[in-house]
Amino acid sequence: MSRFILHSDLNNFYASVECLYNPKIRNKAVAVVGDQEKRHGIVLAKNYIAKKYGVKTGDTIWEAKQKCKEELVLVTANFDRYYYISKLVKKVYREYTNYVESFGIDEAWLDITENVKSFSEAFEFAEKIRKRIISQFGLTVSIGVSYNKIFAKLGSDLKKPNATTLITPQNYKDLVWKLPVSDLLYVGKATNEKLTKAGITTIGQLAQTPCRILKSMLGKNGETLHTFANGDDTTPVKKFDEKEEIKSVGNSTTCPKDLKTNGEVRAVICILSESVARRLREKNLWCSTVCLWVKTDDLKSFEVMHKIDYPTNLASTISSEAYKLFKFDWNKTIRAIGVRVCGLCEKPAQYNFFNNEQTMQKKEKFETVVDGLRGRFGYNILKRGSVCASKELAELNPEHVVHSIHPTSYFKP
């Protein structure tokens, strides 16, 4: 019995929302950018007019301006606005089915198997949703209709903007197998390079490559991607209120100035660690692995991690463990830093032998009190002395920088 899965993708979401709020810029080239004053000045999204000139997500502002032959309208990102519109749209999806699984702020899968009996009905169902989104919100959406999540996602990417694409067990080889292998979900840059070196450049070639070969090249992911390419994915769409297992919690920021000393790096790590620890405590979680991500002034980055001696949700521990990972010869300056924790668990059965349980509980209580004060009076009510040594770093608020709580991986163990 076939499933009927939709993947809905709001077109150029950030830029479309900005044009919705400001009709005067609708017919102009628009790029949504980060806060230039805080050195987040890259293109986060663009409309189709800017895209025609070659403006890409990730371009610096000056690169985008050089590409655009007409005046480029720059709009600073308003994430509160985007989250608000996203919630309204997904609330509409839930009127049609309880099986709505978000995939980022502007994408979602919907399982409508209980609503329709054929692919033609599923296509019309998707069309009904697409037209309603335009009518109710003034936003266009591309929808893929298929029998699994992977092909539904591919379908939403095939025709943009404002279109519905149907991929069935009968036509998927004609539609999907000719596409570049990089179009397949979870084929990232490194995986694509490995596949290309092996002469695998299309999804069809990936599908026809023996699974054992892919597994030897890519490990477990090779087997998973082989399943995806052959249309055999059976992963269910989660219910909108289904609790997901959290795999990692992290926070990162582009620093207000390039960092040049160990002290400055340690201060930023402290700020980020406080945010990570607070969200761990909100979820009643402890971590056993700490990761440090660093981006240098030439925009190259690396991440290092290690397992700690005992699970923790203390900012002081996370910060000190992250700083231990910082080994740098200072031949460059540092532009951005991130702290992430994983190996999550509920409250550990016992503390490390070398740490008195009563002492640890006092530290937890202290940090919880700090969380409460900042929650009531704002983050700046309390600051670490090491942070206040630099005026620029003292103004850094971890609640206003990019953070992430990562759910369980799509790949199954």
Side-chain angles (χ1 to χ4, degrees), residues 61-237:
I61 290 175
W62 70 266
E63 286 175 330
K65 286 182 176 179
Q66 282 188 330
K67 292 177 180 179
C68 200
K69 296 179 181 178
E70 61 177 69
E71 184 180 356
L72 181 65
V73 178
L74 300 177
V75 183
T76 301
N78 186 335
F79 291 103
D80 288 340
R81 178 179 290 174
Y82 309 147
Y83 281 113
Y84 171 70
I85 297 295
S86 174
K87 287 180 180 179
L88 292 180
V89 172
K90 289 175 183 178
K91 186 177 180 181
V92 169
Y93 296 159
R94 296 199 296 271
E95 292 181 23
Y96 296 95
T97 174
N98 287 327
Y99 293 90
V100 178
E101 181 181 345
S102 293
F103 190 63
I105 191 173
D106 56 347
E107 301 181 41
W109 280 289
L110 293 75
D111 189 331
I112 60 169
T113 304
E114 296 179 358
N115 305 75
V116 299
K117 296 180 180 179
S118 66
F119 280 108
S120 60
E121 287 185 20
F123 183 88
E124 292 303 320
F125 199 97
E127 281 286 273
K128 182 179 179 181
I129 294 175
R130 182 181 65 81
K131 292 174 182 177
R132 180 175 173 185
I133 299 302
I134 297 174
S135 174
Q136 188 167 333
F137 300 102
L139 299 171
T140 63
V141 61
S142 293
I143 300 179
V145 183
S146 194
Y147 59 99
N148 63 62
K149 291 169 69 174
I150 301 303
F151 284 176
K153 164 68 175 168
L154 275 172
S156 69
D157 291 333
L158 279 178
K159 294 180 184 178
K160 290 185 176 182
N162 197 24
T164 300
T165 303
L166 178 63
I167 299 177
T168 69
Q170 289 72 41
N171 72 4
Y172 80 86
K173 291 183 180 179
D174 294 330
L175 292 178
V176 173
W177 278 15
K178 63 185 178 183
L179 298 174
V181 70
S182 57
D183 285 358
L184 193 63
L185 193 62
Y186 298 117
V187 175
K189 183 178 179 181
T191 299
N192 186 44
E193 289 177 355
K194 289 180 181 180
L195 292 172
T196 300
K197 286 181 181 179
I200 302 170
T201 59
T202 68
I203 294 176
Q205 289 173 330
L206 177 65
Q208 294 173 309
T209 302
C211 187
R212 57 180 176 78
I213 294 178
L214 295 174
K215 196 171 181 180
S216 67
M217 292 170 53
L218 306 171
K220 181 67 174 178
N221 289 355
E223 184 178 353
T224 303
L225 293 176
H226 186 265
T227 299
F228 288 176
N230 281 285
D232 295 329
D233 172 50
T234 59
T235 308
V237 176

Side-chain angles (χ1 to χ4, degrees), residues 42-46 54-60 67:
I42 63 170
V43 174
L44 304 175
K46 70 282 178 191
V55 177
K56 297 179 181 178
T57 300
D59 281 349
T60 61
K67 292 177 180 179

Side-chain angles (χ1 to χ4, degrees), residues 361-407:
Q361 288 176 344
K362 285 182 179 180
K363 290 182 178 180
E364 286 180 23
K365 186 175 181 180
F366 170 76
E367 293 197 10
T368 301
V369 170
V370 172
D371 292 342
L373 289 171
R374 285 175 170 166
R376 290 181 61 190
F377 304 108
Y379 175 78
N380 291 329
I381 193 68
L382 288 170
K383 288 185 180 181
R384 292 179 181 270
S386 60
V387 174
C388 295
S390 166
K391 180 179 178 182
E392 294 95 337
L393 297 183
E395 296 175 355
L396 189 58
N397 184 342
E399 304 307 315
H400 291 166
V401 297
V402 177
H403 57 80
S404 55
I405 297 179
H406 299 284

